[in-house]
Amino acid sequence: MTNSIAGTFGETVVGNVVRSPATPHSLPDVDDKLSPRLYNQDLAPTKREGRSWSGYNIFTLWVNDVHSLGNYSFAIGLFALGLGGWQILLSLSIGAVLLFLLLSLSGLMGEKTGIPFPVMSRIAFGIHGAQIAALLRGGVAIVWFGIQTYLASVVLRIMLEALFPGVAAYNQNNILGLSSLGWATFLSLWVVQTVIISYGMELVRKYEAIAGPIVLVTMTSLAIWMFIQVDGNIAPSITNKLVGTEMWLTIFGGGALWVAIYGTFVLNFCDFTRSSKSKQSMLRGNFWGIPINMFLFGVIVILMAGGQFSLNGTIIQSPSDIVQSIPNKFILSIACIALLVLTVAVNLMANFVAPVYALTNLFPRSLNFRRAAIVSAVLGLVILPWHLYNSPIVIVYFLGGLGALLGPLFGIIMADYWLLRKAKVNVPDLYTEASHGSYFYQAGYNPKAIYALIPSSLIALGLALLPSFQFMSSFTWFFGVGIAATIYYCIADKKAVYVDVSGEDIAVENTNAH
C-alpha cells in the first residue's frame, strides 16, 4: 500500500493519481508502481462483487446485434445468390458454431481478468504496443458509428415523411451532403447515442436489455405478417438456385463471412464480459444468443425473403423494405421506431464502446469514459460519414483493409493468452511501467507480436483487396488469424514461466457512470 498524502481541499494522492472523497466510485488505494499513463478508473479491473451483466444481458446483447439491418442484408444476399432455405440455415449454423466457440474464448478472458480490450492487448503486445491493437479496433468502429447513425437517420426521415408529408420540403436542399431534414434526423440520433454512452456501461446494459425483446417481437412479427400475406406460400429459393460444388462453396463461404462480420466484436467482447456475474452466466448468454438466436434469425430471413419472392418475384434488401410497404401509417411508424431502437442498440455495442476505451487508453490522465465518449461521437460526426458510405473506394479499400488487419490481431492475442500462457495473467503488471514488469518487454513493446503482425497483415490485405484473390476473400479473416497465430507461436519463448495474479486488489466497482 502507498503512503497517502492529504492534499488540498481533502483530496488524496495515491502514487500520481488524485482521487477525491466526493467521487462516488473512487479509485482504491493502489501501489505506487501503477502508472497514471496506464491506469485510471475506467481501465482498472472490475471487482467481482457487484458485477451486473447476467446471462440475460449477454443474450440481449446478441439479440440486438444479430438482428441488425446489415446482418439481414447479408443473409438475404445468400438467398439472392441462389441458396435455398435449408442451405441458408446450414451456412448460418456453421458460422454460429464457430462464433460461439470464438466468442466464448474471448469472453472468458474478460470474465476472468475484469479488464477492457486495450488493457487485454497489453498482455501480447506490451503496455505501449497495445495502442496498435486498440487504435485499429477503435478507428474502424468510429467510422462505422458514423455510417450506422447516418443509415438510422434515413429510416427516421422516411418515417417522418410518411407521417408528416409537409416535412418533405426540408429534404430538397443540400448542406455538406445532407438536406436540412437529413441533418435534423442525423443529429437527433447522434445526440441520443452520445447521451446514453456518456453515462457508462450500466446504461448501455439497461438499454440493450430493453431493446432486445422489442427487436425480437418486431422481427418475428414482420416475418409472420409476410407469411400471412402470401398464405404460407414461401418460396424455398429463387428460380436459378445453386447446386453442386458452387452451392457448397457458397454455403461454407457464407459461414466464413458470417464469422468475419464479427471479426471486430471477437476482439473486444471482453469490454462487456469484464462485468459478467460468472463464467456460467456468460456462457449461457452466449449459447442462447448465438447458435439459438442465429437459427431463429435464419428462419426469419427465409420467411421474409421467400415470402417477398413469392409475392412479386423480387428480393428485398432488408426488413426496412417490408416496413415501407406496410399500408397502415400507425403500424409503419411503430415498426420504424423499433428499427431505430435496434440500430441504436447495435451502434452502441459494436461501434461506440470500442473507441471510447481506445481513447481512454491513449489519454488515461485526461480522458475518462464520458469525455472519451464525447470525443468519439464528435469524430464520428466531423468525418461526414454519408460521404464515406457513398464511396465504394472507402468502403472496400479503407474499411476493408482495416478490417483485414483485425484477424491477425485476434490470432496473436488468442495464441498468446490460451496457447502460451494457458490463461495465466499477472493483472497488476498490466498497469506498471517498471522495466521488470511482465509486459514491459522492450520499452513497452513486444517485438515478437509485431514480427508476427506485419507479415500476416500483409497477406490478409492482399487476400482482401487484390482482385486475383477474390475467390478466397470470404476466408480472409481465417487466413489472417491462422497465419498470425502460427507465426507468433513459433517464434515465442516456449520455456517462459507465467504466473497468475489477480487484479482484485487494484479493482474498482463495476460501474463507469461518472
Side-chain angles (χ1 to χ4, degrees):
M1 293 297 183
T2 62
N3 294 320
S4 298
I5 304 172
T8 311
F9 305 118
E11 291 177 332
T12 304
V13 180
V14 182
N16 292 318
V17 180
V18 179
R19 61 185 180 92
S20 169
T23 303
H25 306 293
S26 56
L27 293 168
D29 289 330
V30 295
D31 194 283
D32 282 319
K33 293 179 181 177
L34 297 185
S35 169
R37 293 177 60 192
L38 303 173
Y39 180 95
N40 68 12
Q41 179 172 302
D42 301 298
L43 298 175
T46 54
K47 288 184 178 294
R48 284 208 163 270
E49 184 180 355
R51 290 186 181 183
S52 56
W53 284 69
S54 64
Y56 172 77
N57 295 126
I58 299 296
F59 166 70
T60 54
L61 197 72
W62 295 125
V63 166
N64 293 316
D65 195 66
V66 168
H67 292 270
S68 71
L69 297 182
N71 283 351
Y72 274 104
S73 296
F74 164 77
I76 291 170
L78 296 178
F79 184 84
L81 287 173
L83 291 186
W86 72 266
Q87 296 152 343
I88 291 173
L89 287 178
L90 177 59
S91 182
L92 295 178
S93 295
I94 291 170
V97 170
L98 291 172
L99 280 171
F100 175 73
L101 295 174
L102 294 171
L103 285 161
S104 293
L105 287 174
S106 180
L108 288 171
M109 295 163 64
E111 189 277 332
K112 172 184 169 68
T113 60
I115 58 179
F117 172 67
V119 179
M120 189 74 70
S121 303
R122 296 172 189 174
I123 301 172
F125 284 88
I127 54 173
H128 299 315
Q131 300 289 6
I132 300 171
L135 290 177
L136 277 174
R137 173 65 182 97
V140 173
I142 285 175
V143 176
W144 278 117
F145 162 73
I147 289 175
Q148 293 287 357
T149 302
Y150 162 66
L151 294 176
S153 73
V154 173
V155 175
L156 179 56
R157 177 169 53 81
I158 291 171
M159 183 185 75
L160 292 176
E161 288 182 344
L163 295 176
F164 312 102
V167 302
Y170 298 97
N171 197 34
Q172 306 303 317
N173 59 336
N174 189 307
I175 306 171
L176 296 177
L178 280 186
S179 65
S180 297
L181 182 59
W183 273 105
T185 54
F186 179 86
L187 290 175
S188 298
L189 292 172
W190 182 86
V191 168
V192 168
Q193 293 174 100
T194 304
V195 169
I196 292 173
I197 199 71
S198 68
Y199 280 93
M201 292 295 287
E202 273 300 285
L203 189 54
V204 172
R205 179 183 69 84
K206 293 173 182 177
Y207 181 88
E208 300 287 337
I210 295 172
I214 294 174
V215 170
L216 274 181
V217 170
T218 300
M219 294 305 179
T220 303
S221 299
L222 286 175
I224 293 173
W225 184 77
M226 179 57 72
F227 185 83
I228 295 172
Q229 287 287 102
V230 298
D231 296 323
N233 183 26
I234 302 297
S237 65
I238 62 174
T239 306
N240 300 319
K241 62 180 180 180
L242 297 177
V243 294
T245 303
E246 189 177 8
M247 176 194 75
W248 287 107
L249 286 175
T250 305
I251 288 174
F252 285 105
L257 284 173
W258 192 228
V259 175
I261 287 172
Y262 288 87
T264 53
F265 217 108
V266 293
L267 275 173
N268 73 302
F269 188 34
C270 58
D271 288 342
F272 303 89
T273 59
R274 65 190 295 241
S275 299
S276 290
K277 291 184 175 181
S278 68
K279 181 190 303 182
Q280 291 72 24
S281 67
M282 188 273 292
L283 291 174
R284 279 197 306 272
N286 272 2
F287 175 75
W288 288 101
I290 301 175
I292 303 301
N293 177 47
M294 286 183 177
F295 186 84
L296 174 61
F297 166 83
V299 172
I300 293 174
V301 166
I302 294 166
L303 291 176
M304 286 184 178
Q308 186 68 42
F309 193 76
S310 292
L311 194 63
N312 54 18
T314 61
I315 301 172
I316 61 172
Q317 294 184 344
S318 82
S320 58
D321 293 342
I322 294 177
V323 169
Q324 291 182 44
S325 67
I326 296 174
N328 185 295
K329 287 187 177 182
F330 175 75
I331 297 177
L332 181 145
S333 61
I334 295 297
C336 283
I337 291 171
L339 293 184
L340 291 174
V341 169
L342 164 64
T343 305
V344 169
V346 173
N347 227 7
L348 288 173
M349 59 183 282
N351 300 318
F352 218 154
V353 171
V356 169
Y357 277 124
L359 288 170
T360 304
N361 187 58
L362 193 61
F363 305 107
R365 284 184 285 194
S366 54
L367 291 181
N368 57 17
F369 197 91
R370 174 172 290 179
R371 292 170 187 163
I374 294 172
V375 172
S376 298
V378 170
L379 290 174
L381 170 63
V382 299
I383 61 174
L384 303 180
W386 43 92
H387 290 308
L388 302 180
Y389 180 72
N390 292 323
S391 171
I393 293 177
V394 171
I395 295 295
V396 174
Y397 290 101
F398 177 68
L399 290 177
L402 285 179
L405 301 180
L406 301 182
L409 286 175
F410 182 74
I412 292 168
I413 291 171
M414 290 288 114
D416 181 83
Y417 185 90
W418 290 107
L419 299 181
L420 290 176
R421 301 178 185 276
K422 305 293 191 294
K424 293 181 180 179
V425 182
N426 185 337
V427 176
D429 271 14
L430 291 168
Y431 301 93
T432 179
E433 292 185 274
S435 59
H436 61 269
S438 304
Y439 312 103
F440 186 79
Y441 297 109
Q442 294 183 18
Y445 296 84
N446 182 5
K448 293 182 179 179
I450 296 173
Y451 295 156
L453 180 64
I454 292 174
S456 57
S457 295
L458 291 175
I459 294 172
L461 285 171
L463 293 175
L465 304 179
L466 295 179
S468 55
F469 293 105
Q470 188 174 4
F471 68 100
M472 300 173 62
S473 59
S474 298
F475 304 94
T476 296
W477 188 84
F478 287 95
F479 278 109
V481 171
I483 293 169
T486 301
I487 294 174
Y488 183 75
Y489 185 78
C490 288
I491 64 177
D493 182 6
K494 313 294 190 308
K495 297 180 180 179
V497 177
Y498 303 106
V499 295
D500 205 21
V501 181
S502 169
E504 194 69 18
D505 288 343
I506 61 169
V508 298
E509 294 177 34
N510 177 41
T511 180
N512 48 21
H514 301 295

